[in-house]
Amino acid sequence: MSKGSPGLFLNRLWLPLASLGFIALLAVAPWVVANRAFGGKGVLVTPWSVIDLTGRASTLPELGWLGPFFVFWVVLATAAALLSFVGTPRQRARGLYLLGGVGLAAFLVEAYLFYQAVWAVNNTALAEGVSPRRLPLKRYTLSLGAYAGFFYSLALILAGRLQLPGGRAFLVRWRGVVVPLVSMFLAVLAGAGVVWLLKDVPAPEGAGRLAYLTIKLDTVTYTFQLLFGPVLSLSGIFQSLLLATPLIFTGLAVAFGFKAGLFNIGAPGQLTMGAIAAMLVGVYLPGPRVIVLPLAIAAAAAGGALWGAIPGWLKARFGAHEVINTIMMNFVAASIFLFLISANEYTFFGYTVHLPFKYPGYEARSYEIQEEARIPMMLHLLGFDGAGPGHLSLALPLAGVLGLLAYLLLRRLELGHRLLAALGAGVLGYLVGGYLPGIPMEVSPSLASVRLNGAFLIALFAVGFYNYFMWRTKGGYELRAVGLAPKAAEYGGVNIARKTVLAMAISGALAGLAATHYVLGGGIDEYRLKQSLPTNVGFDGIAVALLGQNTPLGVFLSALLFGVLLTGGLQLNLQLGISRELVTILQALIVLFIAAGGFLPRYFVDPLLAAKEEQAGKEVV
């Protein structure tokens, strides 16, 4: 290993320091919460003590294994720290891999022992005739001490990889994941600091400073457990998907512009115009469902495309910057929106003009979308009519499975034929699955109340379109070339002006499709165009695109993450009294840290330097 390499620096300094901090965290953090009341107060258990903030801890599970596990982690962390100073790089790598694997296994054993102990207490209570609603242990969970062991073990495995030749190049090759993850980690740290400062939880009388630290750490941990808690329930997942659906559209819209070297900040206006167009078709176009619904969806895309193409043309024709133009177009769209649905009668130069769009009443809203233009709720697509017993239809699951299998298995076909085959297999699966008997299931009232609709499926198609067009077609290649090096692309024969208009039009169409969720899918409680249309998701799409690194999968995952955080923010406000604006702070911090490249070295954010690092890594290997 050469002098000054990152592996040597890590061996000599960072790993021992991280191990020391890990042991200190284990000593003060709660490992498990045996019981938690509404409002956040819980029974916190550390290897040394039990801190009862509820005052009702009459029964506790058997947790005598916490002490031996603390000793185990101290031994493991000490071994990892000592390993930094001995052996060859490959020996250190093997040792760190082994320690990391053992640590992960220990974490699983801890989780098993804890939940077995809790269930033993509750099962005993049930056997004694206690009502399931009055079980002695509720909202029990592992806490920061246990989670720290899990993440420390993962860090050891990563540190082992860095010992091997080309370790830094390995990280640089995965910079599309590393930069967002580091930015998220920094945002979480900053958010934890905000909670630490603002949220005070009274300690029991006579509790020392160590207990106070434990309580503070539990509050911070519980805050993020609430934020990410929706992934643990089906209704929470549906609610997260509901909030993520428009973010997928707007995130793709911004990412599409970024890839073409354009900053489309006009997604709010394009969404608004898409919503107006969808309303016009959905309310006033007569016809059967097979015609009206596709036309309404197409109208949403067309409205957004038109509003995106205008600033694209202004940039191509006059060189006007798209940021200024799209911001101004947002204001124009908002004015048109209010003009149409806030009143039906206006006077211009002494003449009275009558409009047919506003529904009678004081509220600014349109007439209802006709039944033929409404996008069905997801539960209806899955075969359920609402809360209560029903049967899960196999039509959609079978369509998805067959379509995916066809796409994966028919790799020898050309991409276009492969996609057609996958589409055909999906349609066949949908038809066959519709005739198969469904799976009996019961839908809870909380799940039935979530208004997740078929616009989510349209969002999935939009992700597929973005991936196909941008990376599999000549037009997408030219757009990316324009985004990376416009002069070189022009020298190669690309019409920059035409591509600019095209990029902004497609970007606007993706933003306009978000209106299918709100207007055609009833995402804002009613099948109407309403003044409460949340156009701010257009700006949120910027954060989604940045966090997703402008890739289709990245945008999809980051939109899901924001959907989960927004859903968890509701519980955060209910349980801890912390404003859900904390989620907004986290979003803003993520954008800031990504803009700063996660404070990582420049070779993580500069493509040229990154390529040099990767090449150097290949030569070393």
Side-chain angles (χ1 to χ4, degrees):
M1 185 174 294
S2 62
K3 184 179 180 180
S5 67
L8 182 61
F9 187 67
L10 180 69
N11 287 341
R12 299 292 172 82
L13 185 61
W14 282 109
L15 190 53
L17 285 177
S19 299
L20 187 62
F22 169 63
I23 294 173
L25 184 61
L26 291 183
V28 297
W31 284 42
V32 300
V33 178
N35 198 4
R36 194 182 294 277
F38 188 86
K41 293 183 178 180
V43 180
L44 318 181
V45 185
T46 73
W48 336 104
S49 62
V50 175
I51 304 172
D52 181 14
L53 298 177
T54 66
R56 294 174 295 181
S58 57
T59 307
L60 286 177
E62 172 53 45
L63 297 173
W65 46 269
L66 286 181
F69 266 92
F70 177 79
V71 175
F72 162 81
W73 284 111
V74 170
V75 172
L76 186 141
T78 305
L82 293 176
L83 194 59
S84 305
F85 301 98
V86 297
T88 64
R90 290 193 180 277
Q91 289 172 337
R92 286 195 293 271
R94 291 194 201 101
L96 290 173
Y97 283 151
L98 177 63
L99 292 176
V102 171
L104 290 177
F107 170 77
L108 294 177
V109 173
E110 287 176 1
Y112 174 80
L113 292 175
F114 172 64
Y115 287 109
Q116 283 295 321
V118 169
W119 293 337
V121 172
N122 283 344
N123 288 337
T124 301
L126 287 172
E128 293 173 352
V130 175
S131 167
R133 294 186 176 183
R134 296 184 178 277
L135 290 175
L137 302 179
K138 296 179 180 177
R139 300 190 185 93
Y140 44 84
T141 179
L142 295 174
S143 193
L144 184 58
Y147 296 142
F150 174 76
F151 288 110
Y152 179 74
S153 301
L154 289 181
L156 289 183
I157 293 174
L158 178 61
R161 178 62 184 88
L162 292 177
Q163 304 301 309
L164 298 174
R168 189 166 73 180
F170 167 77
L171 280 184
V172 173
R173 189 161 56 249
W174 286 92
R175 60 189 180 280
V177 177
V178 172
V179 173
L181 283 181
V182 171
S183 300
M184 276 188 57
F185 175 71
L186 294 175
V188 166
L189 278 184
V194 172
V195 174
W196 183 285
L197 290 174
L198 297 182
K199 184 62 180 176
D200 188 30
V201 179
E205 189 174 348
R209 291 184 178 179
L210 193 61
Y212 180 75
L213 282 177
T214 303
I215 295 169
K216 275 288 192 181
L217 287 172
D218 173 69
T219 303
V220 172
T221 306
Y222 188 49
T223 297
F224 288 96
Q225 284 178 326
L226 288 174
L227 282 177
F228 291 97
V231 298
L232 300 177
S233 69
L234 195 55
S235 59
I237 293 173
F238 264 53
Q239 182 66 30
S240 301
L241 293 178
L242 171 75
L243 297 175
T245 299
L247 292 174
I248 295 173
F249 287 119
T250 55
L252 289 175
V254 177
F256 199 97
F258 277 146
K259 278 296 178 186
L262 300 165
F263 189 6
N264 179 16
I265 202 170
Q270 293 146 18
L271 189 161
T272 302
M273 297 308 292
I276 292 172
M279 180 273 292
L280 292 174
V281 174
V283 173
Y284 299 103
L285 180 68
R289 183 179 185 80
V290 293
I291 294 177
V292 176
L293 179 56
L295 285 179
I297 295 172
L306 173 65
W307 219 243
I310 294 173
W313 178 76
L314 291 172
K315 181 180 179 67
R317 179 66 178 82
F318 302 105
H321 202 285
E322 74 276 7
V323 171
I324 304 299
N325 292 332
T326 50
I327 290 175
M328 294 300 106
M329 294 295 280
N330 286 341
F331 289 113
V332 176
S335 300
I336 294 174
F337 172 61
L338 289 177
F339 174 77
L340 291 178
I341 66 167
S342 60
N344 277 338
E345 188 175 299
Y346 294 95
T347 301
F348 296 102
F349 306 107
Y351 295 96
T352 301
V353 177
H354 297 279
L355 298 177
F357 305 115
K358 182 181 180 302
Y359 186 78
Y362 65 90
E363 188 178 356
R365 56 179 181 166
S366 72
Y367 285 86
E368 267 201 324
I369 302 295
Q370 55 187 317
E371 291 281 349
E372 290 78 6
R374 294 180 184 180
I375 296 176
M377 290 291 154
M378 189 60 75
L379 279 179
H380 294 165
L381 292 173
L382 293 174
F384 298 101
D385 294 326
H391 289 79
L392 173 64
S393 170
L394 295 178
L396 271 183
L398 196 58
V401 170
L402 288 185
L404 185 62
L405 283 178
Y407 183 79
L408 294 176
L409 296 178
L410 300 176
R411 292 184 176 181
R412 293 184 178 180
L413 296 179
E414 292 181 3
L415 183 61
H417 295 162
R418 194 172 158 196
L419 289 173
L420 283 177
L423 180 62
V427 172
L428 179 64
Y430 187 83
L431 295 176
V432 173
Y435 285 101
L436 294 176
I439 302 174
M441 292 183 67
E442 181 157 353
V443 177
S444 65
S446 61
L447 179 60
S449 65
V450 180
R451 299 184 66 83
L452 176 65
N453 56 70
F456 175 68
L457 300 178
I458 302 174
L460 292 181
F461 278 110
V463 173
F465 164 78
Y466 177 49
N467 180 64
Y468 174 75
F469 182 84
M470 193 59 81
W471 278 272
R472 301 284 183 171
T473 67
K474 179 186 173 186
Y477 175 79
E478 291 177 345
L479 281 181
R480 285 186 289 130
V482 171
L484 286 173
K487 293 295 183 185
E490 189 174 25
Y491 183 76
V494 177
N495 187 325
I496 301 291
R498 186 178 300 171
K499 292 301 175 186
T500 300
V501 178
L502 176 66
M504 286 301 293
I506 295 178
S507 177
L510 290 169
L513 280 172
T516 59
H517 169 72
Y518 292 121
V519 179
L520 304 179
I524 44 178
D525 301 332
E526 291 182 87
Y527 292 93
R528 301 173 188 267
L529 181 60
K530 298 172 66 175
Q531 190 177 8
S532 57
L533 182 72
T535 56
N536 61 309
V537 297
F539 293 122
D540 294 341
I542 299 171
V544 171
L546 288 173
L547 183 60
Q549 296 288 287
N550 303 321
T551 63
L553 181 61
V555 168
F556 177 73
L557 293 178
S558 59
L560 292 187
L561 172 67
F562 282 8
V564 170
L565 292 177
L566 289 169
T567 304
L570 298 173
Q571 285 298 317
L572 191 65
N573 187 262
L574 287 173
Q575 295 264 353
L576 291 179
I578 297 176
S579 170
R580 59 182 302 188
E581 296 306 317
L582 177 66
V583 176
T584 306
I585 294 175
L586 288 177
Q587 289 178 343
L589 289 174
I590 289 172
V591 173
L592 284 175
F593 288 130
I594 286 183
F599 298 116
L600 291 167
R602 283 195 62 197
Y603 46 78
F604 278 98
V605 292
D606 187 320
L608 186 59
L609 294 178
K612 288 181 179 177
E613 285 294 330
E614 290 187 47
Q615 184 60 35
K618 290 178 182 177
E619 292 173 358
V620 171
V621 173

